[in-house]
Amino acid sequence: MTGMDTNTPDTTQTILIVDDNPVVVKLLAELLKRAGYNVMTVASGDEALDALADFIPDLVLLDVDMPGKSGLTICRAIKDDPRTRDIPVLFVTARSQREDIIGGFAAGGQDYIIKPFTRAELLARVQTHMALRKAQQDLQASVIRYRNLSNIDDLTGFYNTRYLYQTLQEQLDRKQDLPLSVVFIDIDNFKNVVDSYGHLNGSSTIAELAEIIMPLLPEGCYGVSYGGDEFVLVLAEHGSREGHRVAEQIRLAIEQASFLSFCDLAVRITVSCGVATFPDDAQSLKELLGNADHALFETKRRGKNRVVSFSEMAGPPLR
């Protein structure tokens, strides 16, 4: 296998050439490199599959007749693998019979170039499929980006309630043998902040609070903007004690922080937290969220600025 050509600053598009004829490989490689593409070459179908296990090219130029696995077999393998199925495959072969061409398309090839070919023909077809590939990648990236944006709260960077309700039930169903804790968080006396400093500074306070919480969330856990000054934390694989510990760590960090320093203020706030855990405290999504909310109300009743777990409401306090 040859290394990538590094003298192509104008493009990052890579073409994998699969052909056992070194003369053809050299011709194709030089032609494509001069056109500005990165190029890798292999001499057999097995080498092609090994290469595709390590990297995803933007295009594959594939001979049909090779030792070992044929080009048609390799193309089917590429199209059967979810990682590589979207890579366009162009057959470059001396086979010119109608049944050969039909067989190439039936195997999943996007185009069929018959040897000998002209430079202009090859580059035109390569450029067409590269443009289609780039457009497809851009579209996929846009879909993912907009899907993510539709689940993110603009102010806090946390997920929104749509994401919470869409994914939490899936989490409970998928890992029924593992605990999951939910923490409800409410800013204490937040109306006083808004009344004293205005709605814009109130929003800035919420954003700053989210910035404090974010790095304290364990890996695999996430925060949700539940509305206004309320938040939900989803702590996967955290039992009641672990969930209580994370909530207390966050509560303490917020209590010690100073807010709105950007406008020469030093506002102090506190939060109340209620924790409920699946499956110990609840057997369903509705019950889990309801019990976490119930624990939050108990926190308020006990004087705010503390963490109460649903489990301790029916038993001795957590130590």
Side-chain angles (χ1 to χ4, degrees):
M1 184 188 303
T2 67
M4 289 187 184
D5 178 24
T6 57
N7 298 316
T8 53
D10 296 333
T11 180
T12 59
Q13 291 181 307
T14 302
I15 298 174
L16 175 64
I17 301 172
V18 188
D19 198 310
D20 63 318
N21 187 325
V23 175
V24 173
V25 169
K26 182 178 180 180
L27 173 65
L28 288 172
E30 291 179 353
L31 178 62
L32 294 169
K33 287 178 181 179
R34 284 199 300 269
Y37 297 108
N38 295 325
V39 174
M40 294 187 70
T41 67
V42 294
S44 71
D46 287 327
E47 289 182 25
L49 295 180
D50 289 341
L52 291 171
D54 296 326
F55 89 110
I56 303 296
D58 297 285
L59 181 71
V60 175
L61 297 183
L62 181 60
D63 190 15
V64 173
D65 295 313
M66 292 183 295
K69 295 184 175 68
S70 72
L72 298 178
T73 299
I74 296 305
C75 185
R76 293 189 191 98
I78 291 173
K79 297 303 176 180
D80 286 341
D81 188 336
R83 292 179 57 255
T84 58
R85 65 174 50 149
D86 292 331
I87 302 173
V89 175
L90 276 63
F91 286 105
V92 182
T93 177
R95 290 195 176 196
S96 59
Q97 298 299 313
R98 178 180 298 178
E99 57 269 23
D100 296 323
I101 297 173
I102 293 174
F105 285 113
Q110 272 69 38
D111 210 338
Y112 200 95
I113 304 172
I114 299 173
K115 302 173 185 175
F117 50 81
T118 66
R119 176 183 181 278
E121 177 191 10
L122 178 75
L123 287 180
R125 294 186 185 228
V126 166
Q127 288 165 0
T128 295
H129 289 287
M130 282 296 204
L132 291 172
R133 171 71 164 160
K134 181 65 164 55
Q136 180 189 48
Q137 291 173 326
D138 290 345
L139 177 60
Q140 291 174 340
S142 294
V143 169
I144 293 172
R145 182 168 60 253
Y146 286 117
R147 183 185 298 126
N148 289 339
L149 287 174
S150 70
N151 290 323
I152 298 295
D153 175 66
D154 291 337
L155 177 62
T156 62
F158 284 162
Y159 288 107
N160 55 30
T161 53
R162 181 190 301 110
Y163 182 85
L164 174 69
Y165 294 129
Q166 285 176 345
T167 61
L168 186 52
Q169 185 62 59
E170 295 176 5
Q171 286 183 271
L172 298 180
D173 293 340
R174 189 170 61 250
K175 297 185 177 181
Q176 295 185 10
D177 57 332
L178 296 174
L180 183 148
S181 288
V182 167
V183 182
F184 271 42
I185 299 178
D186 183 72
I187 301 177
D188 298 326
N189 307 311
F190 184 65
K191 186 176 182 299
N192 294 341
V193 176
V194 175
D195 290 344
S196 299
Y197 307 107
H199 287 281
L200 289 178
N201 283 331
S203 295
S204 295
T205 301
I206 290 174
E208 290 181 29
L209 182 143
E211 291 177 357
I212 293 173
I213 294 176
M214 195 80 76
L216 297 178
L217 289 174
E219 184 177 356
C221 304
Y222 61 89
V224 176
S225 178
Y226 205 62
D229 57 334
E230 296 182 350
F231 307 88
V232 174
L233 309 182
V234 178
L235 307 179
E237 300 184 22
H238 281 64
S240 183
R241 293 179 184 275
E242 291 83 2
H244 190 283
R245 176 183 53 78
V246 172
E248 175 60 23
Q249 181 184 18
I250 289 172
R251 182 204 67 78
L252 185 60
I254 293 170
E255 182 183 42
Q256 295 174 343
S258 180
F259 294 80
L260 300 180
S261 58
F262 72 93
C263 55
D264 297 325
L265 296 174
V267 177
R268 299 282 183 167
I269 62 173
T270 62
V271 295
S272 297
C273 305
V275 184
T277 302
F278 176 89
D280 293 346
D281 301 331
Q283 299 299 311
S284 68
L285 172 62
K286 182 178 180 180
E287 190 177 12
L288 179 64
L289 295 176
N291 288 347
D293 197 30
H294 187 39
L296 176 61
F297 274 106
E298 177 64 15
T299 306
K300 298 284 189 178
R301 190 189 69 81
R302 295 185 186 184
K304 305 178 181 179
N305 190 26
R306 66 190 68 205
V307 179
V308 173
S309 294
F310 184 80
S311 57
E312 73 179 87
M313 294 170 57
L318 293 172
R319 298 181 181 278

